[in-house]
């Protein structure tokens, strides 16, 4: 499995808890082990008999901002994500879906009941539309070389976030960008689309990436190319935090998102990060909120006990 590109952490995480060394001498025990690993990691049935590990999905997915990931690793990433995404979809009641939903339409729907479009309201909207969203706590490769992923199955979508943050605004942007890929049908016939780098930081890229960015900005801020009048040209952290708090209500943009927009214009990331500490109570791992909501939303009884145990491992939501 290592030769096929899978990382130690993923292999350990997928290894079934019932396995013991005595079973290694038992043919049916070894067969059960192979089945369990294949189900969890998306290995092809051929891997169950031979010595070569093959994946169910290989070159079918779309990779964005791909730096150095070889074909074997692409197959490992895709197959892992497809397996997780399809389990999530089985445990999520179908909804109206994101297909064809415009960014403004979605923004207006959220603003009908909330002051801003923020991470919590985006997560709630996705689940209400039948689109599960989780943060991956197990990665198929040893390097955390994936920012986010959209999985498609039978016309439905699941979104897997890969890189965590300590404040919600950057995660909200990533989620809004992935919502854009799903809503704009960027996957076409592909089973998955993987954003390998942070779409907010990556240097452009293809037209689909630019479209997904515009979708995300329109959804979060109401405009595809946000410029804001704050009456200030220069900022330090306290004045930026103060300016976005004041302007947030006027523009109906979540303060952290507004700070990121201003920072992006001026390439002032350290100031924005320092302002985040003033905008939010305290830094905290955002994945806990994402996966806490997912754990409540998923219909755990709709999937096998083994699939549920694997999802809980991948989401790090045991107990
Ligand atoms: Zn993208």
């Amino acid at each position: 499995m290592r030769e096929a590109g899978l990382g130690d952490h993923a292999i350990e995480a997928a290894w079934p808890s019932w396995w013991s060394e005595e079973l290694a001498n038992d043919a049916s025990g070894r067969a059960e082990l192979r089945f369990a690993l294949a189900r969890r990691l998306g290995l092809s049935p051929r891997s169950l008999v031979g010595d070569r590990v093959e994946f169910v999905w290989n070159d079918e997915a779309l990779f964005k901002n791909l730096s150095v990931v070889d074909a074997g690793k692409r197959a490992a990433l895709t197959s892992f994500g497809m397996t997780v995404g399809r389990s999530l979809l089985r445990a999520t009641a179908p909804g109206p879906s994101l297909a064809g939903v415009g960014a403004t339409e979605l923004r207006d729907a959220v603003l009908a009941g909330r002051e801003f479009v923020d991470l919590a309201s985006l997560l709630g909207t996705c689940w209400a539309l039948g689109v599960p969203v989780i943060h991956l706590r197990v990665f198929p490769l040893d390097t955390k070389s994936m920012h986010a992923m959209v999985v498609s199955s039978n016309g439905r979508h699941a979104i897997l976030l890969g890189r965590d943050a300590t404040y919600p605004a950057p995660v909200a942007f990533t989620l809004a960008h992935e919502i854009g890929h799903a809503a704009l049908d960027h996957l076409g016939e592909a089973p998955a689309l993987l954003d390998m780098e942070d779409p907010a930081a990556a240097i452009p890229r293809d037209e689909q990436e630019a479209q997904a960015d515009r979708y995300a900005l329109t959804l979060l801020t109401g405009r595809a190319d946000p410029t804001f009048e704050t009456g200030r040209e220069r900022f330090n952290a306290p004045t930026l935090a103060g300016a976005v708090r004041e302007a947030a209500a006027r523009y109906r943009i979540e303060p952290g998102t507004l700070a990121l927009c201003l920072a992006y214009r001026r390439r002032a990331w350290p100031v924005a990060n320092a302002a985040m500490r003033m905008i939010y109570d305290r830094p905290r791992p955002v994945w806990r909120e994402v996966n806490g909501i997912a754990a409540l939303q998923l219909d755990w009884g709709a999937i096998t006990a083994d699939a549920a145990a694997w999802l809980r491992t991948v989401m790090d939501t045991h107990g």
Side-chain angles (χ1 to χ4, degrees):
M1 287 192 284
R2 281 198 194 102
E3 274 169 32
L6 288 161
D8 286 350
H9 179 214
I11 296 170
E12 268 167 41
W15 211 265
S17 56
W18 48 256
W19 177 257
S20 69
E21 287 304 322
E22 295 92 79
L23 289 171
N25 299 318
D26 176 49
S28 69
R30 287 199 305 274
E32 271 303 308
L33 174 66
R34 283 172 177 241
F35 271 113
L37 291 171
R39 273 194 304 265
R40 292 177 167 202
L41 297 169
L43 309 181
S44 126
R46 271 189 291 180
S47 306
L48 297 174
V49 287
D51 283 332
R52 235 178 95 77
V53 169
E54 292 177 43
F55 292 101
V56 177
W57 286 273
N58 290 287
D59 250 344
E60 301 92 335
L62 300 174
F63 280 76
K64 300 292 184 184
N65 303 315
L66 184 65
S67 41
V68 268
V69 181
D70 63 39
K73 288 183 174 167
R74 288 204 298 273
L77 268 170
T78 306
S79 295
F80 181 92
M82 289 304 297
T83 305
V84 170
R86 301 222 293 192
S87 287
L88 289 171
L89 285 169
R90 277 198 294 277
T92 306
S97 103
L98 279 168
V101 179
T104 305
E105 184 188 345
L106 201 53
R107 175 172 172 81
D108 289 347
V110 173
L111 291 185
R114 314 272 296 222
E115 191 179 7
F116 313 119
V117 178
D118 58 6
L119 178 62
S121 55
L122 283 183
L123 289 167
T125 302
C126 284
W127 284 101
L129 292 172
V131 177
V133 182
I134 65 162
H135 181 93
L136 289 179
R137 297 284 295 159
V138 173
F139 289 82
L141 312 180
D142 271 339
T143 49
K144 292 186 178 179
S145 54
M146 186 193 71
H147 194 79
M149 175 173 184
V150 183
V151 169
S152 168
S153 181
N154 296 323
R156 300 183 62 195
H157 295 103
I159 296 174
L160 312 177
L161 303 173
R163 197 146 330 145
D164 201 29
T166 46
Y167 299 105
V171 182
F173 180 80
T174 299
L175 177 54
H177 176 102
E178 304 310 322
I179 289 172
H181 280 313
L184 298 167
D185 191 26
H186 283 170
L187 282 80
E189 295 296 306
L193 183 154
L194 290 91
D195 275 310
M196 300 303 286
E197 288 175 25
D198 184 353
I203 309 296
R205 313 124 8 143
D206 62 30
E207 181 52 26
Q208 286 192 343
E209 284 301 285
Q211 286 173 358
D213 279 352
R214 285 199 293 275
Y215 190 102
L217 287 170
T218 305
L219 173 54
L220 292 169
T221 73
R223 46 195 97 185
D225 185 18
T227 47
F228 303 100
E229 190 44 63
T230 55
R232 274 179 171 276
E233 267 310 301
R234 297 185 147 275
F235 288 107
N236 57 25
T239 55
L240 179 58
V244 298
R245 275 207 205 92
E246 183 270 323
R250 183 154 34 100
Y251 289 114
R252 297 193 75 181
I253 301 171
E254 191 272 324
T257 296
L258 193 48
L260 286 185
C261 290
L262 290 168
Y264 185 77
R265 292 262 146 216
R266 294 178 171 80
R267 304 268 157 211
W269 298 114
V271 173
N273 277 327
M276 291 289 175
R277 248 168 268 149
M278 299 168 189
I279 292 166
Y280 301 108
D281 292 343
R282 59 195 156 85
R284 61 200 157 97
V286 176
W287 72 266
R288 285 187 192 279
E289 179 186 352
V290 174
N291 288 352
I293 290 170
L296 292 174
Q297 291 284 343
L298 287 167
D299 178 2
W300 294 98
I303 50 177
T304 64
D306 186 63
W310 178 231
L311 275 187
R312 285 196 185 278
T313 298
V314 166
M315 292 163 60
D316 197 1
T317 51
H318 285 282

